[in-house]
Amino acid sequence: VQLQASGGGLVQAGGSRRLSCQASGGAFSRYTLAWFRRAPGREREWVARISGSDGSTYYRDFVKGRFTISRDDDKKAVYLQMNNLKPEDTAVYYCAADPTRTLTFDYWGQGTLVTVSS
C-alpha cells in the first residue's frame, strides 16, 4: 500500500485548508485511516482517525470542532478538512493506514507541510 499526501501550504490564522491522501493497493475500505502531525521541535502526534468498519471518527481535543476527517473508499482517499487554523497547527501532516484495526499504522504517506501564519 502506498499513500500520497497533498494539500499543504501557507495559510493565515483563521483560514482553512483541506488535505488529501491518495492510496494505491490494498483493501482500503477495511483500513482504519488517520492523520498525524509533527510540529517543529516536537514529536509526532495523532490528530484524527476514521474507522473502516462503520466510519466512526475520533479527534484529539486540540482539533475537535475545527478539523474533520472523511474518507471516500471508491476513490481510495482520506481527507482532513481543517478550519479556523491556528499558528500552533503548523506541522508536517502525515496520513497513515492501519490494515489490522489494532491502531498499528503500518503504512504512511510522505507528509505535507502546513504553515499557519499569525
Side-chain angles (χ1 to χ4, degrees):
V1 175
Q2 292 187 326
L3 302 174
Q4 180 77 31
S6 62
L10 177 64
V11 61
Q12 288 189 331
S16 298
R17 200 81 182 178
R18 187 190 194 216
L19 304 182
S20 300
C21 179
Q22 183 67 50
S24 59
F28 184 84
S29 64
R30 300 207 303 256
Y31 296 170
T32 295
L33 304 169
W35 287 93
F36 289 75
R37 71 184 186 187
R38 176 175 283 159
R42 301 188 65 174
E43 296 200 354
R44 186 176 64 196
E45 60 186 357
W46 163 68
V47 175
R49 73 174 188 266
I50 184 167
S51 72
S53 55
D54 60 4
S56 296
T57 56
Y58 306 88
Y59 300 92
R60 295 294 298 277
D61 285 345
F62 51 76
V63 302
K64 205 172 285 185
R66 300 189 298 123
F67 290 13
T68 302
I69 188 171
S70 62
R71 64 190 295 161
D72 186 331
D73 290 338
D74 290 336
K75 295 182 179 178
K76 289 192 173 183
V78 60
Y79 308 98
L80 187 68
Q81 176 66 43
M82 305 184 294
N83 298 328
N84 190 23
L85 283 160
K86 304 176 181 180
E88 52 263 42
D89 294 318
T90 295
V92 177
Y93 285 74
Y94 301 88
C95 55
D98 162 22
T100 59
R101 303 183 194 178
T102 59
L103 299 184
T104 302
F105 292 90
D106 293 326
Y107 306 115
W108 292 84
Q110 85 287 6
T112 185
L113 175 62
V114 175
T115 302
V116 184
S117 64
S118 57

